[in-house]
Amino acid sequence: MSHDNSTKAIAYAFAANFGIAISKSAAAVWTGSGSLLAEAIHSFADCGNQVLLFVGMKRASRQATAKHPMGFGRESYIWSMMVAITLFSIGGLFSIYEGWLRFGEHHVVENTGIALLVLLVAVVLEALSLKGAMGAVQKEMAGRSLWQWFTETHSSELMVVVGEDLAALLGLVIAFVMLGLTMLTGNAVYDAIGSILIGILLVVVALLVGREVHSLLLGEADFTIRDAVTDYLVTQPSVVNVLNVWAVNHGDQVMLVIKAELRPDLKVSDAVIAINSMEVQIKKMHGRVKWVFFEIDNSD
């Protein structure tokens, strides 16, 4: 389900960003606006990012091999990290650089009315893209706030799309305000400031996304599944004590490691039957659990 949600969100985002990028580019050339140019670069970077996310999802779905027995699920995290780097460099740093250059040179922003109209259209398209992404997010939030979901989700592609869409909407607001000030005052410095602010915004979003994807790459725990499995195990008659439970995200799947103390009077054959039964039930309860490694131990 998560894979389908991410695919739809990426498709919405790509379609919206491509149309926005073309309109912003034309308006930037026509008006000479640095803020619009920064926004156009941002939109083209987003289009490239969505292609990277699609590639990552395709490669992550490959079947396991002898060399990679757990499959390639985490590869989606690698491509999401590439997106964060692209957003930071091409989107953020270039926009800051472009705005800084415009401080040192005299430039005129023309046809600001047309530029503002383009930005309003872009806001509508970007809002539609964000609506599509948030529809997918709602299915995963499970009562959590958007920030909690962002820091806990295993869906790196969906996290990136939501981050990009939010940054794009805020960037459009900044560009609209700064172009409006430029039109009212005739001072193009506001336009340069707009480009820098958009760049800073993109850098911040890229750092936040990069931090979360980095955590997933290292092997982030799924506390919801861990706690639910622990609660299930303590109710089982064959389990004396639950010593440890790890639930580690591996792309769209989870690797579960259990260390528990079983009743000492159980025969080996009975212990095997009990463990197999618990593993089957756990996988029924949690569809994302792909692997269960159960180790018998004692608390001594």
Side-chain angles (χ1 to χ4, degrees):
M1 181 64 71
S2 175
H3 187 279
D4 293 337
N5 292 341
S6 297
T7 300
K8 291 178 182 178
I10 294 171
Y12 286 138
F14 180 84
N17 282 320
F18 186 74
I20 292 170
I22 296 298
S23 60
K24 285 178 183 176
S25 298
V29 172
W30 190 10
T31 63
S33 167
S35 294
L36 263 179
L37 179 60
E39 277 295 303
I41 294 169
H42 174 198
S43 294
F44 276 118
D46 282 352
C47 288
N49 289 343
Q50 271 102 53
V51 172
L52 291 177
L53 293 177
F54 270 124
V55 172
M57 291 177 64
K58 181 69 175 178
R59 292 182 62 84
S61 64
R62 289 178 295 166
Q63 295 297 315
T65 64
K67 189 173 183 179
H68 298 92
M70 294 184 67
F72 299 86
R74 289 194 187 184
E75 185 157 352
S76 61
Y77 302 155
I78 297 174
W79 291 81
S80 295
M81 180 62 78
M82 291 173 61
V83 168
I85 294 171
T86 302
L87 191 65
F88 178 87
S89 56
I90 298 179
L93 294 184
F94 188 85
S95 295
I96 294 172
Y97 174 74
E98 180 66 25
W100 182 256
L101 284 182
R102 289 173 183 267
F103 267 114
E105 62 181 27
H106 178 73
H107 74 283
V108 178
V109 179
E110 301 176 339
N111 301 308
T112 50
I114 298 298
L116 292 175
L117 179 60
V118 169
L119 287 174
L120 284 176
V121 173
V123 166
V124 173
L125 292 175
E126 203 64 67
L128 291 174
S129 174
L130 180 59
K131 181 181 178 182
M134 289 305 298
V137 169
Q138 289 295 331
K139 298 176 182 178
E140 294 189 6
M141 288 181 68
R144 294 174 292 179
S145 67
L146 182 60
W147 177 249
Q148 285 178 313
W149 170 84
F150 183 83
T151 57
E152 296 174 4
T153 182
H154 66 277
S155 304
S156 61
E157 306 93 347
L158 191 53
M159 174 178 60
V160 170
V161 171
V162 170
E164 284 184 339
D165 284 351
L166 286 173
L169 268 179
L170 290 174
L172 288 168
V173 171
I174 292 171
F176 188 89
V177 170
M178 291 304 172
L179 272 177
L181 289 173
T182 299
M183 182 175 67
L184 291 173
T185 65
N187 189 346
V189 169
Y190 289 109
D191 184 56
I193 293 174
S195 180
I196 293 174
L197 291 178
I198 291 168
I200 293 173
L201 171 66
L202 296 180
V203 167
V204 170
V205 171
L207 291 174
L208 290 174
V209 169
R211 183 189 67 177
E212 297 305 320
V213 176
H214 175 259
S215 180
L216 289 168
L217 275 169
L218 293 179
E220 188 174 88
D222 189 308
F223 296 121
T224 301
I225 291 179
R226 182 202 64 182
D227 295 343
V229 169
T230 302
D231 291 341
Y232 164 75
L233 290 173
V234 297
T235 66
Q236 299 307 296
S238 58
V239 177
V240 174
N241 190 19
V242 179
L243 302 175
N244 202 358
V245 176
W246 289 357
V248 181
N249 285 306
H250 190 80
D252 198 36
Q253 298 170 328
V254 168
M255 177 187 69
L256 192 63
V257 180
I258 300 169
K259 181 181 287 189
E261 181 181 0
L262 301 186
R263 287 197 346 252
D265 61 319
L266 283 178
K267 296 179 181 179
V268 173
S269 58
D270 292 335
V272 170
I273 292 173
I275 290 171
N276 288 341
S277 175
M278 286 186 283
E279 289 181 355
V280 169
Q281 184 60 29
I282 287 170
K283 289 183 178 180
K284 285 182 179 179
M285 293 166 58
H286 306 283
R288 291 184 58 228
V289 175
K290 175 71 173 178
W291 308 273
V292 180
F293 301 101
F294 201 117
E295 179 183 352
I296 301 175
D297 205 339
N298 57 52
S299 54
D300 295 337

